[in-house]
Amino acid sequence: MNLYELFNSLAADSARSIAGFQGELALCVTIVLLLLLRIPRLTSRIDSFFVMLIGSSVALYLAGPWRPLEQPSEIFTGLLVYDNFTVYFRTLLMAFAVLFAVFTKISGVPDRDAAPDIYALVLGATLGMCIMASANNMLMIFLGVEMASVPSYALAGLLKGRRQSSEAALKYAVYGAGAAGIMLYGISLISGILGTVHLPTMAVRLAELLQPANLESGLGSDTHMVLALGGMMIMVGLAFKLSAVPFHFWCPDVFEGATAEVNAFLSVASKAAALALLARVAIGFGYIPAPVLVETAPAASVETAALYNVADPPGEAPAAPAARTPAENAEAKAEAAVGFGPLPNREAQIAALAPAREFIWKLVAFVAVITCTFGNLAAYGQTNIKRLLAYSTIAQAGYMMMPVASAMVLAGTNAPAARDAISAVAFYAGAYVFMNLGAFAIVAFLRNMLHSEEIADYAGLLHRAPVTVICFCIVLVSLIGLPPLAGFFGKYQIFASLVDAKLWFVLFIAGLNTAISLYYYLRVVKIMTIDPEPDTRRPASMSFIPGTFIVLITAPIVILGVWPDSLNALARIATGQLF
Amino acid sequence: MAVGMLTAILSGFVLAILAPGLNRMVRGGAGWLLALLPLGLAISFASHAPLIASGNVFSESNPWVPALGVDLSFRLDGLSMLLSLLITGVGALILVYAGGYLAGHPQLGRLYAFLLMFMGSMLGLVLADNILLLFVFWELTSISSYLLIGFDHERAAARSAALQALLVTAGGGLALMAGLLLLGQAGGSLELSTLLLQADYLHSHPLYLPSLVLILIGAFTKSAQFPFHFWLPSAMEAPTPVSAYLHSATMVKAGIYLLARLSPALGGTDAWFLSVTTVGGVTMLLGAWLALTQSDLKRILAYSTVSALGTLTLLLGLGGTLAVQAAMAFLVGHALYKGALFLVAGTLDHQTGSRDVDRLSGLFRAMPITALAAGIAALSMAGIAPLFGFLSKELSYEAALRAPAAAWITAAAVTANILLAAAAFIVGIRPFVGKAVPTPKPAREAPPSLWLGSVVLASLGAVMGLWPALGTDGLLSAAGTAVLGETVSIHLSLWHGLTLALALSAVTLIGGVIVYVSRGLLRRLASRWESLGQFGPARWYELVLLGLNGLAGGQTRLLQSGYLRYYLMIVLVATVGLAGATLATRGHLVKPTDWSGLHFYDVGLVVLILMATMGTVLARTRLAAIAALGVVGYSVALVFVLFGAPDVAMTQFLIETLTVILFVLVFYHLPETPALSSSLARGRDAVIAATVGVLMTAFVLIATVVQYQPPISEYFAEHGLPDAHGRNLVNVILVDFRGLDTLGEITVLAAAGIGVYALLKLRVGKQRGTASAARRSELAGGVDDASLPIANPMRKEGDVP
């Protein structure tokens, strides 16, 4: 194959791929614009807020399609997957970027000088998160995680010169670097054993490795253990992004040190992307999806794949009927090396992956259970609202991980129920955007109003800012998961998935935790609504624009509570192609 | 139904939104106006009563969340009709009463709104056919109850009572949700109407017991059953109309309703019988006893309500036609007389300024209408002949007499009823007879809005007792049918002949009078036992909260210390523990046996790396440590060179150089810090470090044994010449196979170089601004891994109050 053909096929693939990547490209352009516009004297007067707003709105528009995709497809030679799940989370992330822009403009943090930096960092992280949500390749997973993390470290230190903020950023960075290193080690172990970094191909090989005959004869038990350890290492990286115990330590310190605006970003966007990635990785290793449509011509894709996956040399005819990806072609060679035969069909492959699924659900359920319990207990006695919300995010991450465990239990036997479990995650992530953005927006606006982030200073605030307080109460009650708000349906679906999967212990812990969480959320409600107002409070009130923003963010929580089908239908479409 | 059930429920919520505005527009009379809605609803429901009584069931369904199998489905049968009539009928009276009771209160509009919201929720609760929908309304009633209890939030007691009531009921609600989920899973449907038909299947299902226990917890917390009864008397902090409506007539009946509603599906087993009757019986006796020991009118009524709820639970636990008949009759009877008495208590408080029975006396002359209503209601509560209370008590005695373990249950019922009769006299008769004493406010007859409710409720009790056939029979029969799942017909009549039940009624009455007369003695007796109260469930509640607080605080202090080094330590120990456990249980080490491939320079390199590492750890100055670290890095790069990965080695050299330069640049400007850690801490750290090292070594040994895919070097060797036309494999790898990688690396290096240059320029430009210092330390943190020695004492976080 000569250079000309190579470039031709690369160009053809890229042209198709870019069509599914327009939103991300718009983000890239906006980042560059944000950074460059302030250099020429003429354009430096432009408020970067408008660049951010327009850029993220365009990205949101392009992130569509605004109707469901009929077929999932792989783009960029299999690096990313373009399906409804990708579209759902990407839309969510970019919608959040738009809301974030408006929110920061209203709250006045960052100021105009720092704004281009901050916005560029936020968009850069968002880009990484989009890649996390659509990753189809171990390298892209790592790349996405890092692209999302590194700007976050800088964002955490946004308050320059404030010691607490710098300390938080440093802790975050050290932690992140460590977690990333461990994750990369895990990725290289697993990829090394399976001989590819392409997730669907990895699953096929894993199935061969784990097929019942091998397990019975004890063949490759060392390999299984290295795979398990590698899997745990990848989980470390994911747990860090999810702020799951014991990799959550950065979270409360960072949340207290950083501004409420940054917290909103970290707790909503970062968490949604991490959940999407967790689901992707879990499904990627535990399930064989229906054959993926490859848009590139077969001959071309073999070569382009070789550019990226050196370990996958062009080989003979495809062995397995499923997952017709170029990387698949290495199959024959792999068998020859060790002697594990390919499996006859997709059903057999899925069945063979049962040990992988068991490992994943046990790992995820374990982490979820301790995360949830730790987060809720630690939130119990907090006096600072940001710290309380930090622990609440940790606990919420625990809840949101639970359906992934359910899905892994169910995937082998009951694919529709497994899909429902993942759509519970998608729904909760969607509702969570409004709940946590609402919470942090209110905290930020109250900070501007009261110059305090202590819960005790919110006493009797109902008389001073009734609308804000009512909205905050709605947000908090929704975070508990009480009806009739959005959080209730999220939590209900999570619990229902646990019931389907018969994970009684996890269900028990989740229920117990919800009961514990009643107290600390309601304590805030009680302090704001029925405790007496301190005499020392200076006269202050919530002005019109922040109030409107709060109401607009809170309204969907109520709407989704009364009419959950609006988001639920989307979540179901999003997960329809996963199983 | 002519008016859809959904419309009926929603109308409450809609009016709730409008109520504050309406209250501002119609000063004073808003209560009367707002009462028109519940009244209209009550009439609408009542107009369907004959149809229901003749055995019809109305149902309607609208899609809501089809994907979850949740529909807005409602069902109106005898049981829900009975409760709907109570909710709307009493609701109308309460709205009128609240207008008079809190006339001129600045937040009256809000009270109306909450009351209407509660009414809508409660209607939804009793009409819902879908268990999830039922749960939604269930929690909504808890929330509106919270808002109503906390309404008068000037007092600290009201504030903590509101939170306590919400925590107990909403917590119980969560148990209920789990139970309902399990029930739905077991029965394969979320529709009550479907679930109720599969009793036999459900009873033998393995999920039956867990779901029963959870549902019972939900029902018991809501209906203030022992040991959750303590929230109800605390909730008496609410304004009296709220107490009368929520905490006597309707909301606390939600648990009873749930038991009744689910008894066709869940009832009839030993587990049901034992748990429900025991809890009911204990609550009945305890409530009755505690009622007698109080002197506050509202608290007496609250405890007697607890006792009545216990009776209802007991009857439902017994099951069977007679017990269910009795329960339905008692449900109605209790709502009528207790609602009336609560309203009387509120009126007395409002008109005289006191709720203490010991300070109220001889008020008949001043407040004749109220006194009359109170007297009738009290006599009904005591179970005196022509009143409805007598009928229901008679029925429950008959049920008790025929129950298993009849002697015990009957004795308990008679004891409780004796105590309650005495309590009825104390509340309804005692304040009005005897010599008039001066009260904080001079007593005057209440305005119509304040006596209307009690008069209507009390006279309804009398009328229904005198003419039981007045539509009551049919309705109660329909309700009993719904509870039992089989057709029953109830015929109430005042005269059953000279039965044992009649004798027991007489005993009750006489006993009640005796207890009433000797109540002073009893109360003194009780005060001696008062210290027992500190072992009661209310104390447990406090202890649980305190314990959780302690546990939470301890956990947080232990784990979230605010020190990065402890965080890292926890993570490392956790990793060693988890991975080490896996390795120890499932792996086996393969000792390398073949040492022939070992060269002297390999050994030398290893020794060098080890020495440099020791040097890094033990170095006294930072620069020495950095230099030693650099040696480690370069040696590792040499390993890559030796084992055939020149491209990786090249990258490693570059990165290492850059890192060392950056380190030097950054650390040069940092002040020297003294050694802060003690030798003990150092020893501990050394142990942890050694364990991590051992683990990693073991891990590497295992990982290298595993070879599934062919090594990549074979591929390069095979394809180097034919594909890339190069004999020097290193060159081929760098510029051909990984040409793009190399390009990327060059780009990154260039960018990093520019960054370093910018940093240097920035430093020259700005004199050590805090901003650049912060940026530098961030950069250092980002480039290096966790080995960055953090000696600065980090501020200890105030994690726990």
Side-chain angles (χ1 to χ4, degrees), chain A residues 220-357:
Chain A
S221 64
D222 279 342
T223 318
H224 297 160
M225 198 180 58
V226 175
L227 281 173
L229 287 173
M232 275 162 73
M233 289 175 156
I234 294 178
M235 188 67 201
V236 169
L238 294 175
F240 165 74
K241 287 308 291 175
L242 282 164
S243 66
V245 177
F247 305 98
H248 68 283
F249 291 110
W250 59 273
C251 184
D253 295 356
V254 166
F255 272 46
E256 197 184 1
T259 63
E261 288 80 358
V262 172
N263 293 346
F265 180 72
L266 291 181
S267 72
V268 176
S270 196
K271 196 131 298 179
L275 275 170
L277 181 58
L278 179 71
R280 281 249 187 253
V281 172
I283 297 169
F285 282 117
Y287 192 77
I288 310 280
V292 168
L293 179 77
V294 182
E295 291 191 358
T296 43
S301 67
V302 168
E303 289 309 316
T304 44
L307 270 178
Y308 299 95
N309 301 332
V310 187
D312 302 326
E316 297 84 326
R324 278 176 230 288
T325 52
E328 192 72 17
N329 299 342
E331 202 89 326
K333 183 143 187 150
E335 298 154 32
V338 185
F340 297 122
L343 291 156
N345 54 29
R346 182 164 158 248
E347 282 67 37
Q349 287 169 335
I350 293 173
L353 282 174
R357 281 194 295 274

Side-chain angles (χ1 to χ4, degrees), chain B residues 140-324:
Chain B
L140 266 177
T141 58
S142 292
I143 292 172
S144 26
S145 153
Y146 165 79
L147 295 169
L148 285 166
I149 298 173
F151 178 77
D152 206 358
H153 47 68
E154 297 303 317
R155 290 195 306 272
R159 298 200 292 266
S160 73
L163 191 61
Q164 188 188 52
L166 181 57
L167 281 175
V168 174
T169 52
L174 288 170
L176 173 70
M177 175 171 159
L180 291 177
L181 267 175
L182 294 186
L183 186 66
Q185 166 84 9
S189 169
L190 293 177
E191 297 293 310
L192 277 171
S193 40
T194 316
L195 285 172
L196 296 184
L197 298 176
Q198 343 185 0
D200 292 336
Y201 174 70
L202 285 174
H203 287 174
S204 57
H205 198 279
L207 289 177
Y208 169 73
L209 208 58
S211 71
L212 175 69
V213 169
L214 289 168
I215 289 173
L216 288 184
I217 291 176
F220 289 166
T221 48
K222 195 80 163 184
S223 285
Q225 296 296 298
F226 178 83
F228 307 109
H229 62 277
F230 58 91
W231 72 263
L232 187 56
S234 321
M236 289 301 138
E237 289 296 339
T240 303
V242 175
S243 308
Y245 192 29
L246 272 72
H247 305 128
S248 169
T250 57
M251 189 186 91
V252 288
K253 301 269 168 65
I256 305 297
Y257 165 78
L258 189 74
L259 290 181
R261 175 55 83 204
L262 290 176
S263 71
L266 295 177
T269 61
D270 286 348
W272 167 280
F273 172 76
L274 282 176
S275 50
V276 178
T277 43
T278 313
V279 170
V282 169
T283 314
M284 175 175 77
L285 284 172
L286 189 74
W289 169 252
L290 289 172
L292 215 59
T293 62
Q294 305 294 322
S295 62
D296 181 346
L297 277 177
K298 275 181 79 178
R299 289 184 85 85
I300 298 174
L301 289 171
Y303 279 116
S304 71
T305 305
V306 169
S307 176
L309 293 168
T311 313
L312 282 168
T313 309
L314 175 70
L315 288 171
L316 288 171
L318 292 177
T321 321
L322 208 53
V324 168

Side-chain angles (χ1 to χ4, degrees), chain B residues 451-465:
Chain B
W451 54 250
L452 180 77
S454 44
V455 168
V456 168
L457 290 174
S459 39
L460 261 179
V463 171
M464 282 166 64

Side-chain angles (χ1 to χ4, degrees), chain A residues 164 171 175 189 193 195 229 233 248-249 253 313 338 340 377 381-382 387 391 488 492 504 530-531 562 565, chain B residues 64-67 132 135 139 159 182 185 545 552 555 559-560 562 567 571 696 699 708-709 715 795 799 801:
Chain A
Q164 216 181 345
K171 280 177 181 166
Y175 237 79
L189 277 176
I193 290 174
L229 287 173
M233 289 175 156
H248 68 283
F249 291 110
D253 295 356
V338 185
F340 297 122
L377 280 179
Q382 297 304 324
R387 233 178 146 74
Y391 286 114
F488 165 67
Y492 168 74
W504 304 126
I530 63 180
D531 275 5
V562 179
D565 218 30
Chain B
W64 187 24
V65 201
L132 197 67
F135 173 73
E139 291 293 55
R159 298 200 292 266
L182 294 186
Q185 166 84 9
L545 280 190
Q555 173 217 260
L559 292 179
Q560 200 78 31
Y567 294 172
V571 172
M696 284 314 292
F699 190 37
Y708 177 52
Q709 296 296 319
Y715 172 79
R795 187 184 58 83
D799 223 305

Side-chain angles (χ1 to χ4, degrees), chain B residues 616 619 621-631 659-661 663-664 667-668:
Chain B
T616 314
T621 64
R622 285 209 185 98
L623 283 179
I626 294 165
L629 203 58
V631 174
T659 315
V660 168
I661 292 173
F663 261 158
V664 171
F667 283 175
Y668 182 73

Side-chain angles (χ1 to χ4, degrees), chain A residues 117 153-154 157 160-161 163-164 166-167 169-171 173-175 177-178 182 185 189 191-196 205 208-209 221-226 228-230 232-233 246-253 256 307-308 310-311 313-314 333-334 337-338 340 359 366 373-375 377-383 387 391 420 462-463 477 480-484 488-489 491-493 495-496 499-500 502 504 507 511 514-516 518-519 522-523 525-526 529-532 561-565 568 572, chain B residues 64-68 70 107 110 132 135-137 139-140 143 146 150-151 153-154 158-160 162-163 166-167 170-172 174 177-178 181-182 185 190 207 541 544-546 548-553 555-556 559-564 566-568 570-571 574-575 578-580 582-588 590 696 699-700 702-703 705-710 712 715-716 718-719 737-738 740-741 770-771 774-775 777-778 780-782 784-786 788 790 792-795 797-801:
Chain A
D117 294 339
Y153 307 151
K160 285 178 288 196
R163 201 188 145 131
Q164 216 181 345
S166 308
E167 181 188 320
L170 182 63
K171 280 177 181 166
V174 170
Y175 237 79
I182 295 176
Y185 197 180
L189 277 176
S191 312
I193 290 174
L194 298 178
T196 173
R205 298 222 176 129
E208 286 161 18
L209 206 59
S221 64
D222 279 342
T223 318
H224 297 160
M225 198 180 58
V226 175
L229 287 173
M232 275 162 73
M233 289 175 156
F247 305 98
H248 68 283
F249 291 110
W250 59 273
C251 184
D253 295 356
E256 197 184 1
L307 270 178
Y308 299 95
V310 187
K333 183 143 187 150
V338 185
F340 297 122
F359 175 76
F366 174 72
T373 311
F374 172 86
L377 280 179
Y380 207 81
Q382 297 304 324
T383 54
R387 233 178 146 74
Y391 286 114
D420 287 355
L462 184 66
H463 309 284
V477 171
I480 302 173
L482 291 185
F488 165 67
F489 275 96
K491 211 162 243 183
Y492 168 74
Q493 294 191 53
F495 283 23
V499 171
D500 277 344
K502 304 202 176 5
W504 304 126
L507 179 71
T514 309
I516 295 175
L518 272 178
Y519 178 79
L522 290 180
R523 192 170 52 100
V525 171
K526 170 182 171 269
T529 53
I530 63 180
D531 275 5
V562 179
W563 186 39
D565 218 30
N568 207 29
R572 261 147 217 277
Chain B
W64 187 24
V65 201
L68 296 182
V70 183
Q107 307 287 351
R110 212 165 77 194
L132 197 67
F135 173 73
V136 169
F137 286 117
E139 291 293 55
L140 266 177
I143 292 172
Y146 165 79
F151 178 77
H153 47 68
E154 297 303 317
R159 298 200 292 266
S160 73
L163 191 61
L166 181 57
L167 281 175
L174 288 170
M177 175 171 159
L181 267 175
L182 294 186
Q185 166 84 9
L190 293 177
L207 289 177
Y541 164 84
V544 166
L545 280 190
L546 269 178
L548 265 178
N549 220 343
L551 177 68
Q555 173 217 260
T556 315
L559 292 179
Q560 200 78 31
S561 58
Y563 290 91
L564 186 54
Y566 291 134
Y567 294 172
L568 288 177
I570 293 167
V571 172
T575 314
L578 284 176
T582 321
L583 277 176
T585 50
R586 294 176 59 183
H588 52 276
V590 182
M696 284 314 292
F699 190 37
V700 167
I702 287 174
V705 172
V706 176
Q707 185 87 56
Y708 177 52
Q709 296 296 319
I712 198 165
Y715 172 79
F716 288 139
E718 198 179 313
H719 291 266
F737 287 113
R738 290 189 174 160
L740 285 178
D741 289 9
T770 41
R775 258 184 225 154
S777 65
E778 262 168 34
D784 194 58
D785 59 7
L788 181 66
I790 293 178
N792 292 355
M794 296 283 186
R795 187 184 58 83
E797 312 280 349
D799 223 305
V800 172

